[in-house]
């Protein structure tokens, strides 16, 4: 009996320290299409410390699971997964394009825009040419 107790106690005393969650991995996309930094851990660490990986993901920090230092999977919260899935859907893209079009149309419906269009239609070819050159110089200067 005392032998089995000493074996059990030895087993408890040889617990390994929790694995480190590394942070150098960069993912290419988030909800807004931007690059983001993600936590990273080996597949073995993820298996042994799944609760820790899950808590990291639930706090909004994706966890990249690596195998031999090579990224193989990503653990995300359900909210992040749904947002990314929705962002890739054709309906989401169409809704975003519709909103952009509506905003552009609203800007075109202002009094200033109407006056600018009247001026453009009333302009001589020389005035249009000068305006085009000015716009081209501004465009080249901004790059």
């Amino acid at each position: 009996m005392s032998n089995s107790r000493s074996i059990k106690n030895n087993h408890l005393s040889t617990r390994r320290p929790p694995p480190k969650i590394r942070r150098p991995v960069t993912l290419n996309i988030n909800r807004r299409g931007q690059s983001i930094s993600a936590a990273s851990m080996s597949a073995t660490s993820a298996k042994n410390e799944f609760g820790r990986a899950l808590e990291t993901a639930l706090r909004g920090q994706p966890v990249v699971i690596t195998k031999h230092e090579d990224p193989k999977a990503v653990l995300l919260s359900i909210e992040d997964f749904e947002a990314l899935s929705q962002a890739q859907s054709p309906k989401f893209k169409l809704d975003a394009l519709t909103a952009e079009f509506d905003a552009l149309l609203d800007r075109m419906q202002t009094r200033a825009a109407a006056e600018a269009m009247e001026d453009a239609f009333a302009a001589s070819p020389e005035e249009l040419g000068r305006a085009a050159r000015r716009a081209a110089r501004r465009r080249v200067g901004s790059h």
Side-chain angles (χ1 to χ4, degrees):
M1 280 279 177
S2 66
N3 229 1
S4 66
R5 282 186 185 159
S6 66
I7 291 172
K8 286 180 185 177
N9 289 338
N10 278 342
H11 174 69
L12 293 176
S13 66
T14 59
R15 283 184 87 180
R16 286 179 272 146
K20 295 177 184 171
I21 294 181
R22 300 181 305 261
R23 304 238 179 237
V25 175
T26 299
L27 298 177
N28 292 329
I29 191 167
N30 68 1
R31 293 177 204 187
R32 294 176 287 293
Q34 303 162 331
S35 293
I36 56 171
S37 178
S40 171
M41 62 189 332
S42 71
T44 302
S45 295
K47 179 184 77 162
N48 293 336
E49 295 289 328
F50 182 74
R52 189 175 191 183
L54 181 61
E55 285 302 316
T56 301
L58 291 176
R59 285 192 310 268
Q61 175 85 36
V63 179
V64 175
I65 310 298
T66 62
K67 194 166 190 175
H68 304 292
E69 304 286 326
D70 192 25
K72 296 294 183 183
V74 178
L75 181 63
L76 300 170
S77 68
I78 193 68
E79 292 85 12
D80 287 343
F81 175 75
E82 288 172 346
L84 286 171
S85 296
Q86 183 182 30
Q88 298 301 317
S89 76
K91 181 179 179 348
F92 180 83
K93 290 176 183 176
L94 183 59
D95 289 347
L97 187 57
T98 299
E100 186 179 334
F101 176 79
D102 289 344
L104 181 59
L105 186 60
D106 288 342
R107 285 194 309 269
M108 292 170 53
Q109 300 298 321
T110 65
R111 182 73 186 142
E115 289 172 359
M117 286 306 300
E118 288 172 10
D119 291 346
F121 282 115
S124 69
E126 293 80 20
E127 291 172 316
L128 289 174
R130 282 193 299 272
R133 285 191 295 278
R134 278 193 309 271
R137 279 193 293 267
R138 278 195 305 265
R139 205 172 308 123
V140 170
S142 67
H143 292 289

